[in-house]
Amino acid sequence: MKNICLISTGGTIACVPTENGLKPELNAHQLLELIGYHRSNISAVDLFSMDSSNIQPEEWITIANAVYEAAKTADGIVLTHGTDTMAYTASMLSFMLAGIKIPVVLTGAQYPAVYPDSDGRRNLENAIIAATSLAGGVYICFGNSLMLGCRAVKTRTTSLNAFESINYPYIGTVSDGRMLALSEPPHREDFVFSTEIDPRVALIKLIPGLTPKVLDSLKNCDIKGVVVEAFGLGGMHSIRRNHLESIKELMTSGIPVVLTSQCLYEQSTPDIYEVSRPLKEMGIISAGDMTTEASITKLMWVLGHTKDMDEVRKLMQKNLVGELSVTR
């Protein structure tokens, strides 16, 4: 029988009604009791009890360290977490725990586990099953679906199938107490644990008419890296409000800029259209088919290891944990 460690961080799954609204108060043992699990092979750790809207880079480091310690004795880890920032946490853990040899499965709920019709109890049961069956890596288990952590995005606010796997096949599904594998997760030989990150990364979502002054202002905001969600394949204004000049200024000042798309599916690239071709010539970093969440957390992780522009570009365009389809 495999040893599973449940690490609780709060979120909707742990919420109870209060006079001020839902508040995460249930601990890991109480969550296990709700699903009737009283098994000697499942240990419980209460890390903190937070709404995931408050989970930030400091908490990512705390979670990664807790997982690293638990992995010394556990065969699989389940991490309960709020849904709103779960995709960010799953992506960051994928890089911090690159090549981990046991499964780390994040799950949560759209409705508190204490509610009679909550999805939380089923999600937790499924995550425990997945943690006994999956290969090493970081995953999200939600609504019966299993997906790679660095490819998951929350796409719905209330529906029970809240997450989708973007640009990568679903890893599996859980039904009737069993996991059915649908695709092979990426394999990495070496396990490299590192919580060195630089969270000074900004995300700019372009809209028609956005003033370049927004991009220009980042140089004075202690920002060390920028992810730009551009239009379609990677287009941005080059007339009247010239974003291209602002991007060039950022990169000249030593701030790497990563180009991604506002479209969820398929890749971004500056190679196709005339309007974005100058971006390639000035050395902008294409996110390829990475999610925005993966692009942001990967850039934070990369900047925690190097500030050299060429090295940043090399690492950002290299597939490290399955976040990018093509190794460049």
Side-chain angles (χ1 to χ4, degrees):
M1 188 176 293
K2 292 186 176 181
N3 294 316
I4 303 298
C5 178
L6 171 63
I7 300 175
S8 174
T9 68
T12 297
I13 192 172
C15 277
V16 297
T18 73
E19 61 181 14
N20 294 318
L22 293 174
K23 181 179 179 181
E25 290 189 352
L26 297 182
N27 60 37
H29 286 286
Q30 290 170 318
L31 289 173
L32 289 172
E33 286 196 5
L34 280 173
I35 60 173
Y37 274 49
H38 305 280
R39 302 178 185 176
S40 60
N41 67 311
I42 301 180
S43 59
V45 174
D46 296 309
L47 201 55
F48 42 76
S49 189
M50 295 176 63
D51 187 299
S52 72
S53 294
N54 277 324
I55 289 183
Q56 299 173 56
E58 293 83 357
E59 282 71 41
W60 292 337
I61 293 171
T62 299
I63 294 170
N65 282 319
V67 170
Y68 180 75
E69 287 301 316
K72 293 177 180 179
T73 55
D75 300 306
I77 294 171
V78 173
L79 178 71
T80 53
H81 191 289
T83 60
D84 287 348
T85 61
M86 187 186 292
Y88 288 96
T89 298
S91 288
M92 182 56 87
L93 291 179
S94 298
F95 300 115
M96 288 181 168
L97 301 163
I100 190 168
K101 301 308 177 185
I102 67 170
V104 179
V105 184
L106 284 77
T107 195
Q110 292 286 65
Y111 301 97
V114 294
Y115 285 8
D117 58 348
S118 171
D119 58 324
R121 296 188 297 278
R122 181 190 66 185
N123 286 342
L124 181 54
E125 289 181 22
N126 288 348
I128 292 172
I129 292 167
T132 66
S133 308
L134 286 164
V138 178
Y139 307 89
I140 285 180
C141 178
F142 212 93
N144 293 341
S145 295
L146 284 166
M147 58 208 83
L148 201 60
C150 59
R151 292 287 190 162
V153 172
K154 186 178 182 183
T155 58
R156 297 173 180 85
T157 59
T158 59
S159 299
L160 302 188
N161 56 335
F163 290 84
E164 293 184 38
S165 182
I166 307 300
N167 296 327
Y168 199 90
Y170 285 86
I171 299 298
T173 185
V174 182
S175 180
D176 296 325
R178 300 180 64 183
M179 191 195 96
L180 173 65
L182 299 177
S183 65
E184 286 290 327
H187 176 71
R188 177 170 169 154
E189 291 291 340
D190 58 326
F191 173 37
V192 179
F193 174 68
S194 175
T195 58
E196 295 295 321
I197 62 172
D198 190 335
R200 294 174 292 177
V201 169
L203 170 66
I204 301 296
K205 185 184 183 80
L206 298 186
I207 61 172
L210 180 75
T211 174
K213 291 179 181 179
V214 172
L215 291 163
D216 296 337
S217 68
L218 297 175
K219 290 183 291 185
N220 301 316
C221 294
D222 194 31
I223 293 298
K224 301 302 178 183
V226 179
V227 176
V228 175
E229 273 196 1
F231 308 122
L233 279 166
M236 58 182 68
H237 297 336
S238 60
I239 60 171
R240 285 192 295 276
R241 301 169 181 86
N242 194 334
H243 295 152
L244 306 184
E245 283 299 317
S246 296
I247 297 293
K248 183 177 181 179
E249 284 293 320
L250 285 170
M251 298 182 67
T252 300
S253 64
I255 299 174
V257 180
V258 177
L259 180 73
T260 186
S261 174
Q262 296 176 18
C263 302
L264 270 178
Y265 291 96
E266 302 172 347
Q267 68 174 342
S268 61
T269 175
D271 296 346
I272 306 300
Y273 288 96
E274 178 188 17
V275 70
S276 55
R277 187 64 65 88
L279 293 169
K280 180 180 181 181
E281 296 170 358
M282 68 179 65
I284 200 167
I285 302 167
S286 174
D289 66 347
M290 285 191 286
T291 67
T292 295
E293 289 87 343
S295 300
I296 292 167
T297 53
K298 183 177 183 179
L299 184 56
M300 289 180 179
W301 187 88
V302 168
L303 290 172
H305 293 78
T306 181
K307 294 294 193 296
D308 180 82
M309 187 73 79
D310 289 336
E311 282 299 310
V312 170
R313 181 178 293 104
K314 178 180 177 182
L315 285 170
M316 286 300 298
Q317 297 186 320
K318 180 180 180 181
N319 179 29
L320 301 178
V321 291
E323 79 286 358
L324 187 64
S325 289
V326 179
T327 301
R328 303 188 181 201

